[in-house]
Structure formats: C-alpha cells, structure tokens
Amino acid sequence: MDVFQAIKERREITKYLSKEIPEDTLKKVEDAGYYAPTGNNLPSKNLIVVKNRDTLNQLAETTPYMKWLYDAPAAIAITGNPEVSKYWLQDASIACAFIWLEAVEVGLGSAFGAVYHAEDQEESQKRENHVRKLLNIPNNRRVVAVLGLGYPDEKLEPKNHIPREEIVSYESFS
Ligand SMILES: Cc1cc2nc3c(=O)[nH]c(=O)nc-3n(C[C@H](O)[C@H](O)[C@H](O)COP(=O)(O)O)c2cc1C
C-alpha cells in the first residue's frame, strides 16, 4: 500500500475483533511513531504501548470519548515533554498521525482518544493524571493522546469531505 492510499482509506475505527495483534505487526505501528519527525530533531515524545486488558479497560475511562478501548487489544499513549522542546505538541501529534497511517497499512484500525485539552487546563490535568497514574508517566510529560488499535470489526467507506476549495487555496488565503 502506498502512503496516499493509506491516507485516503484511513478512518477512525472504534469496533475491533477480539483478535490479538502479532508482535511484528504491532512493532511496525510503534516504529511509525518512533520514526516520525520532531521539531529541531529534539526527542520530546514517548510512546507507551499497552496490551494488558485491565490497563486498557482503565484507560477507557480517561474521558467519556474513548470507551472503544474496552474492545481494543492494544493502545499506544503518546506523551510530549515541554522541557525538551517547544514543539512537543506538534511532535506528539505527528507521531499520532504516522501511527494511524501505519495501522491502515498493516490492516489494523485505529481510534484517537484526545487526552490533552488546550482550552481547559483543569480538565486536561484530570485526564492526563488518570493516564499518568496508570502508566507511570513522569510529571514533566504531557499526555497528548491514547490511540486504540485492533483488527477492524467495521468497514467504513471513504468520507464525503468538505469541498476542497474551502480548505486548499493557492498563493493566498481564500
Ligand atoms: C485531534 C483529534 C482529537 C480526537 N479526539 C477523539 C476522541 O477523543 N474520541 C474519539 O472517539 N475520536 C476522536 N477523534 C477522531 C475524530 O473524531 C475523527 O477522526 C473524525 O470524526 C473524522 O473521522 P475519520 O477519522 O473517520 O475520518 C479525534 C481526532 C483528532 C484528529
């Protein structure tokens, strides 16, 4: 599968088969996040891979919008370190995107559980601390997201996107 095909086929998959992900398949997905670029090439991100059922179930309670983790056989939490780079949020976000796309390539589905909340620091700390405690994440790391992973138990068609000209313009904003 070429990259563009993965980009076009990617959907958020929240229903998973109860089928284990082989080690080498999961490792490819982990590596996609590992190899993702970072601002100034600084190592601001960490990826925590979770397969323990009990931990996944507790992670599902981080926010009301990631209950799909109850069915996911694996997840990756992505953290950023503001002490290392001012681009920690972008670094972690790009890693999320690479993980999501590689999941498509290896036949997995992925869902995005937003943890970091830019507008409500109190809510953000509550969510992040929940994940931090479960995964033993140091206090100086920000928890950006938890991505669920599993073999899809749903087939979603490509989306109808908003008109391209509303998003893409040339030479100046329009
Ligand atoms: C920054 C960001 C935050 C998101 N947060 C959540 C979330 O907390 N829970 C969830 O189920 N989906 C979440 N999503 C998934 C989006 O809702 C989903 O990607 C969007 O509706 C488009 O659907 P598609 O991925 O199938 O194209 C998030 C996606 C992004 C990029």
Side-chain angles (χ1 to χ4, degrees):
M1 178 181 284
D2 67 30
V3 176
F4 192 59
Q5 192 184 343
I7 289 168
K8 281 182 83 179
E9 283 183 13
R10 185 215 56 79
R11 294 297 311 270
E12 177 170 60
I13 301 298
T14 57
K15 294 188 171 65
Y16 310 104
L17 299 171
S18 57
K19 179 178 163 189
E20 209 182 310
I21 304 171
E23 280 296 326
D24 56 334
T25 302
L26 187 57
K27 181 147 184 304
K28 275 187 168 174
V29 176
E30 297 162 14
D31 279 351
Y34 168 63
Y35 288 123
T38 60
N40 296 320
N41 206 26
L42 288 169
S44 72
K45 73 190 164 206
N46 284 91
L47 313 175
I48 302 106
V49 183
V50 182
K51 292 196 290 181
N52 179 278
R53 184 69 268 153
D54 188 48
T55 310
L56 289 165
N57 289 350
Q58 292 185 70
L59 282 173
E61 295 298 325
T62 305
T63 78
Y65 315 108
M66 42 206 287
K67 302 285 188 218
W68 29 261
L69 274 175
Y70 278 111
D71 297 323
I76 302 179
I78 297 95
T79 70
N81 188 345
E83 292 171 9
V84 166
S85 175
K86 58 183 175 287
Y87 298 124
W88 62 273
L89 185 54
Q90 294 95 320
D91 295 344
S93 302
I94 290 174
C96 290
F98 278 32
I99 286 168
W100 206 340
L101 289 177
E102 182 58 21
V104 176
E105 183 183 351
V106 298
L108 293 170
S110 187
F112 191 109
V115 180
Y116 173 76
H117 191 317
E119 282 178 5
D120 185 340
Q121 279 308 311
E122 200 180 324
E123 173 65 20
S124 196
Q125 287 300 342
K126 196 173 116 211
R127 296 171 171 193
E128 292 181 65
N129 285 339
H130 181 81
V131 179
R132 197 172 272 132
K133 213 166 145 190
L134 286 169
L135 306 184
N136 202 23
I137 297 169
N139 285 334
N140 63 353
R141 304 305 208 279
R142 302 303 304 258
V143 184
V144 175
V146 177
L147 301 199
L149 293 161
Y151 287 100
D153 194 17
E154 61 182 341
K155 171 85 183 131
L156 302 183
E157 295 307 320
K159 279 186 312 192
N160 282 330
H161 286 269
I162 56 175
R164 192 178 190 280
E165 57 274 16
E166 287 183 23
I167 305 287
V168 183
S169 62
Y170 297 91
E171 311 304 343
S172 65
F173 185 96
S174 68

